[in-house]
Amino acid sequence: MTTNDVRNADMNENAVPSDAELRDVLDVFKTMSDPTRMRIILAIAKGPITVTDLAAMLDLGQSAVSHQLRLLKQARLVVGDRSGKQIYYHLVDDHVLEIYALTKVHIEEKQHGQEN
């Protein structure tokens, strides 16, 4: 889905979404707005990874990583697959990383526009 698809879908509806209709979208942004959770998302985007490896990569305690992963799973951004005694975490789908990438592009465009 492109921004034009979103724009066209919004144009077909007359009303601006209510607070209740926006809640799920806003919850995703709220969850992703925490720096530790965003770093975890970016690390997981590189490929399936365990809590132990995430903790080492991000220089965090395993309990802190586990807590953040629980919140990311509740927001349906991350899932874990068990392999023996280990759980390997990965992003639910590419949309999670696309949200980050689109936001980053938006910021860089804005910064570039300010330089001119």
Side-chain angles (χ1 to χ4, degrees):
M1 179 175 272
T2 67
T3 53
N4 283 334
D5 294 333
V6 172
R7 189 174 295 121
N8 290 335
D10 285 344
M11 296 299 250
N12 293 334
E13 298 176 16
N14 292 330
V16 174
S18 68
D19 288 355
E21 293 170 322
L22 290 173
R23 189 160 289 120
D24 289 341
V25 173
L26 297 175
D27 285 346
V28 169
F29 286 122
K30 182 179 176 182
T31 301
M32 292 178 75
S33 71
D34 179 85
T36 300
R37 287 192 289 268
M38 195 66 235
R39 290 177 65 221
I40 290 171
I41 288 169
L42 295 173
I44 290 173
K46 297 174 188 254
I49 189 167
T50 65
V51 170
T52 303
D53 291 339
L54 271 171
M57 178 187 289
L58 301 175
D59 195 27
L60 296 168
Q62 286 186 19
S63 63
V65 170
S66 293
H67 172 72
Q68 299 302 335
L69 283 169
R70 182 177 56 79
L71 297 173
L72 291 167
K73 289 190 302 185
Q74 287 174 345
R76 297 181 305 273
L77 299 173
V78 169
V79 293
D81 292 325
R82 184 172 293 281
S83 178
K85 292 185 178 185
Q86 294 288 337
I87 298 176
Y88 289 86
Y89 292 91
H90 59 90
L91 300 180
V92 169
D93 58 31
D94 291 338
H95 296 124
V96 176
L97 197 55
E98 288 172 8
I99 294 167
Y100 167 79
L102 284 171
T103 304
K104 190 171 179 185
V105 166
H106 172 72
I107 291 166
E108 290 169 353
E109 286 174 348
K110 186 175 179 181
Q111 289 173 342
H112 179 72
Q114 290 176 351
E115 293 173 358
N116 290 331

